[in-house]
Amino acid sequence: MTSSELETPPLDTARRLAEQGDLDGAAAILSELAADPDEPHRAQAAVGLAVVLEERGDAEGARAAARAALATGHPEFAAQAACHLAQGFEREGRAEQARGAWQAVLGVGTPAYLPLAHLALARLAVQAGDDGEAEQALRQALAAGETAGDAESAAHAAQQLAGLLLERGEAGEAADLLLDALAVAPAASVPRLRVQLGIAHLELACAEFAAAVEDGADAGTGALAIELLARTLPLRGRDEDAGQVWAYGLDHEDETLAAEVRLRLGRDT
């Protein structure tokens, strides 16, 4: 062994061995470092060991190493270890264990990892059919992303939260949320947020068209509102509702309004 190799930090040597495909050699070095309570890089070594063991196919050994790293409470590497555990459990479909590991990420409290954990908890809540928990987690992810300066995660949380609000019929709140998100979103997230904002505006437009009819607009305005509502609803996949709106207009007791609606529908033929 050359003098330069002797001077190379063990973590760097382990990393080089892993990159070269010598997982056994890397694991041997990392195991020794992770087992030494006086080793200043113990937490980092344990995380590295978890990664190497997982690549080697030793899932249980990888989890044991990750738990050892988590137990150190290191703000960076304990958080990484909890993320490693959580992602592994999710891949295996073990939702409850994954939820516990993501909660452990929150327990470590490192700001950079909080948005990821909240987004993951929201994902698990959606899979479990708990929209209330998902909404809470997404609001926390949005706040955590903004606090950590993680614009990408904040935009992702805003996008998902807006989707939940739209499904619940709260288009106004969704639009406000999306406008705020667009002001700080990274360029890659802007197109999707704009599309969602457009959807929110379509929903708001439908509500206004329906309200105009319900408020007893004059025949011309009422017929226009009915046409606009009937032509907008299919854009939201609501063809059956659109048909009912046309029927409402055609059968309206105000014969002048019904005639106006008939003319407007006739423009399709």
Side-chain angles (χ1 to χ4, degrees):
M1 184 176 291
T2 67
S3 60
S4 61
E5 288 176 322
L6 288 171
E7 295 171 359
T8 302
L11 280 175
D12 290 344
T13 301
R15 184 181 303 109
R16 177 175 54 80
L17 290 173
E19 291 171 351
Q20 293 174 349
D22 185 358
L23 299 180
D24 290 341
I29 295 172
L30 293 169
S31 294
E32 184 176 348
L33 295 174
D36 183 356
D38 298 322
E39 168 57 47
H41 302 296
R42 181 186 181 197
Q44 184 177 359
V47 171
L49 179 60
V51 173
V52 168
L53 291 177
E54 183 170 298
E55 290 182 8
R56 207 169 64 175
D58 182 0
E60 288 307 314
R63 288 195 181 106
R67 290 188 178 100
L70 178 57
T72 67
H74 190 285
E76 177 70 21
F77 299 112
Q80 285 187 17
C83 289
H84 180 89
L85 285 168
Q87 290 162 349
F89 286 134
E90 280 203 66
R91 284 193 298 270
E92 295 178 9
R94 298 167 66 178
E96 285 306 312
Q97 290 90 336
R99 185 176 290 105
W102 286 121
Q103 291 287 356
V105 176
L106 300 182
V108 175
T110 306
Y113 293 90
L114 298 183
L116 177 65
H118 285 304
L119 284 169
L121 288 168
R123 179 172 61 249
L124 292 170
V126 169
Q127 292 171 3
D130 190 339
D131 288 346
E133 183 179 336
E135 179 182 347
Q136 181 181 6
L138 287 171
R139 290 189 185 279
Q140 291 171 329
L142 178 58
E146 292 172 346
T147 298
D150 185 348
E152 183 176 355
S153 292
H156 192 40
Q159 175 187 325
Q160 293 187 50
L161 180 55
L164 284 180
L165 293 171
L166 286 169
E167 289 178 7
R168 205 163 62 200
E170 299 179 16
E173 184 178 354
D176 291 341
L177 172 71
L178 291 164
L179 282 170
D180 289 342
L182 279 167
V184 295
S189 301
V190 167
R192 179 57 184 167
L193 291 172
R194 289 198 183 283
V195 168
Q196 278 196 297
L197 180 58
I199 291 171
H201 285 161
L202 284 176
E203 293 288 349
L204 289 171
C206 286
E208 294 300 332
F209 297 148
V213 175
E214 293 171 359
D215 289 344
D218 61 80
T221 301
L224 174 60
I226 287 170
E227 179 187 17
L228 291 172
L229 179 56
R231 295 192 187 281
T232 303
L233 285 169
L235 298 177
R236 298 293 295 128
R238 298 169 61 186
D239 290 19
E240 184 176 348
D241 290 343
Q244 293 175 355
V245 171
W246 281 122
Y248 171 83
L250 293 171
D251 296 335
H252 201 279
E253 61 184 14
D254 185 332
E255 294 183 2
T256 302
L257 186 150
E260 286 270 358
V261 171
R262 193 171 300 110
L263 287 173
R264 291 177 179 279
L265 178 59
R267 293 188 303 192
D268 289 339
T269 62

